[in-house]
């Protein structure tokens, strides 16, 4: 029995394999916030460039490599080897594991060896951002799956969704949608009932005429083209909102973990036995 591989799947595998180096470099740049390792790789491996003859530059280059390697592996944004040593010493002194520092993200500042706690305003800002991004994600999702084109009248800012043979109120942008529901079909456009029903929901006669003109012309190409553009915008907006939502959630989780870690460290320090001053019954040497 012969087994054949789907050409589409095979092409996707080839594309994914060829993109792996680029994906790896993007990950390295994202984690280190620098293109140093990438540039060093291109210089050493691709361009076959020679190293510097100056010992001071060699030492500096070696230190920078170790700094960026430390940032990539552990996610702690140190600037030099001194901050690496200070961080490791602080971790040992406070009995903090590396994974605990990684979990609080940028809340630990290697420069002064402190955990930066989030303020109430920062938590409030993140919470509001998450709520707004949530509604943007809903609207973007609807844009990607709907086959109705979204239009808005410039003068009155009334918006509506246009299908192949009907129009209805826009409910894309929750929670800023109107409570008045309406729908206007192609068959209704030839009757006075269309104007009466539209007036009940706040539409002008000119707006009804404009909608009916689109429904009765028989040319649906413009609406289909607008839907395609709308879907592209929706996918872009959805990807962006999901990424920002992810960052906001991660920031809140890291802030809560930082608070818990700081509390544990302070409890550990307070639990250490304190040195007692000598009494009259003790010999003082």
């Amino acid at each position: 029995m012969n087994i054949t591989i789907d050409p589409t799947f095979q092409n996707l595998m080839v594309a994914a394999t060829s993109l792996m180096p680029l994906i790896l470099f993007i990950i390295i740049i994202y984690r280190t916030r620098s293109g140093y390792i990438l540039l060093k790789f291109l210089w050493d491996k691709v361009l076959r460039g020679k190293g510097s003859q100056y010992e001071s530059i060699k030492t500096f280059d070696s230190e920078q490599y170790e700094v960026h390697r430390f940032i990539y592996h552990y996610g702690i944004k140190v600037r030099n080897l001194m901050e690496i040593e200070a961080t490791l010493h602080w971790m040992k002194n406070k009995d903090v594991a590396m994974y605990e520092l990684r979990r609080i993200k940028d809340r630990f500042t290697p420069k002064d060896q402190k955990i930066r706690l989030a303020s109430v305003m920062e938590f409030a800002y993140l919470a509001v951002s998450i709520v707004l991004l949530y509604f943007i994600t809903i609207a973007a999702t609807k844009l990607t799956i709907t086959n109705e084109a979204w239009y808005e009248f410039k003068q009155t800012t009334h918006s509506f969704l246009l299908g192949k043979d009907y129009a209805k109120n826009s409910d894309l942008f929750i929670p800023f949608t109107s409570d008045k529901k309406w729908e206007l079909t192609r068959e209704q456009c030839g009757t006075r009932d269309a104007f009466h029903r539209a007036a009940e929901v706040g539409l002008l006669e000119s707006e009804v005429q404009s909608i009916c003109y689109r429904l009765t012309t028989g040319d649906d190409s413009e609406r289909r083209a607008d839907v395609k553009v709308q879907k592209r915008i929706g996918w872009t907006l959805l990807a962006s909102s999901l990424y920002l939502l992810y960052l906001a959630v991660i920031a809140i989780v890291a802030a809560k973990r930082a608070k818990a870690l700081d509390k544990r460290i302070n409890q550990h320090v307070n639990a250490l036995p304190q040195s007692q001053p000598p009494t009259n019954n003790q010999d003082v040497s």
Side-chain angles (χ1 to χ4, degrees):
M1 180 178 178
N2 295 328
I3 300 177
T4 58
I5 300 177
D6 184 3
T8 303
F9 177 76
Q10 190 174 11
N11 292 334
L12 288 175
M13 290 297 294
V14 171
T17 304
S18 61
L19 289 175
M20 281 302 294
L22 177 61
I23 295 173
L24 179 60
F25 285 138
I26 292 175
I27 293 174
I28 292 174
I29 293 175
Y30 173 77
R31 284 189 61 84
T32 61
R33 302 293 196 275
S34 171
Y36 171 80
I37 293 181
L38 173 60
L39 294 175
K40 181 174 176 58
F41 174 83
L42 292 174
W43 178 260
D44 295 340
K45 305 299 182 182
V46 179
L47 300 177
R48 303 292 180 180
K50 295 181 179 180
S52 175
Q53 301 300 316
Y54 296 95
E55 290 299 327
S56 58
I57 296 180
K58 287 182 179 180
T59 301
F60 175 78
D61 190 59
S62 177
E63 290 180 355
Q64 287 299 304
Y65 179 80
E66 291 298 328
V67 167
H68 286 83
R69 188 174 71 88
F70 184 88
I71 296 173
Y72 175 78
H73 283 300
Y74 305 114
I76 302 175
K77 305 302 187 293
V78 294
R79 298 179 302 170
N80 48 55
L81 293 179
M82 292 180 61
E83 289 190 358
I84 293 178
E85 293 292 342
T87 298
L88 296 177
H89 177 75
W90 180 87
M91 290 171 56
K92 184 177 180 180
N93 188 39
K94 302 295 184 180
D95 191 25
V96 175
M98 180 59 73
Y99 79 91
E100 292 179 299
L101 277 190
R102 293 183 64 175
R103 281 154 52 105
I104 67 174
K105 304 300 180 182
D106 295 333
R107 291 288 166 183
F108 176 75
T109 53
K111 181 180 180 180
D112 52 12
Q113 307 297 304
K114 291 183 179 179
I115 295 177
R116 182 173 56 87
L117 300 179
S119 63
V120 176
M121 287 299 297
E122 189 173 354
F123 270 116
Y125 170 78
L126 289 171
V128 171
S129 299
I130 288 177
V131 173
L132 291 177
L133 288 170
Y134 170 75
F135 287 116
I136 292 174
T137 302
I138 291 178
T141 302
K142 289 188 175 184
L143 284 176
T144 60
I145 63 178
T146 185
N147 289 317
E148 302 160 337
W150 180 83
Y151 295 107
E152 182 182 68
F153 293 106
K154 294 182 179 180
Q155 293 182 348
T156 61
T157 68
H158 291 157
S159 60
F160 66 96
L161 294 175
L162 182 67
K164 183 178 180 180
D165 53 5
Y166 67 91
K168 66 178 185 178
N169 61 291
S170 171
D171 59 352
L172 283 177
F173 301 103
I174 300 174
F176 308 108
T177 180
S178 172
D179 294 329
K180 296 180 179 180
K181 307 293 183 181
W182 59 270
E183 184 172 348
L184 184 64
T185 63
R186 182 185 299 171
E187 290 76 13
Q188 291 174 325
C189 281
T191 65
R192 290 297 305 176
D193 180 60
F195 295 99
H196 291 302
R197 294 180 68 251
E200 293 176 357
V201 296
L203 290 178
L204 303 178
E205 287 196 9
S206 59
E207 294 174 339
V208 176
Q209 291 174 349
S210 177
I211 294 174
C212 286
Y213 174 78
R214 285 179 172 270
L215 290 175
T216 56
T217 54
D219 185 9
D220 196 42
S221 59
E222 182 181 355
R223 185 192 67 85
R224 292 198 304 268
D226 290 337
V227 168
K228 290 181 180 180
V229 174
Q230 181 176 283
K231 285 181 179 290
R232 295 193 194 102
I233 296 174
W235 281 113
T236 303
L237 188 61
L238 180 61
S240 302
S241 62
L242 285 176
Y243 177 68
L244 293 175
L245 188 61
Y246 165 79
L247 292 181
V249 172
I250 289 297
I252 287 184
V253 172
K256 296 186 69 174
R257 287 173 174 172
K259 184 177 180 180
L261 180 60
D262 184 71
K263 181 179 179 181
R264 197 203 77 191
I265 291 174
N266 290 331
Q267 288 176 346
H268 175 73
V269 171
N270 295 331
L272 291 177
Q274 302 294 326
S275 59
Q276 299 294 330
T279 63
N280 294 331
N281 297 328
Q282 293 177 323
D283 295 331
V284 179
S285 57

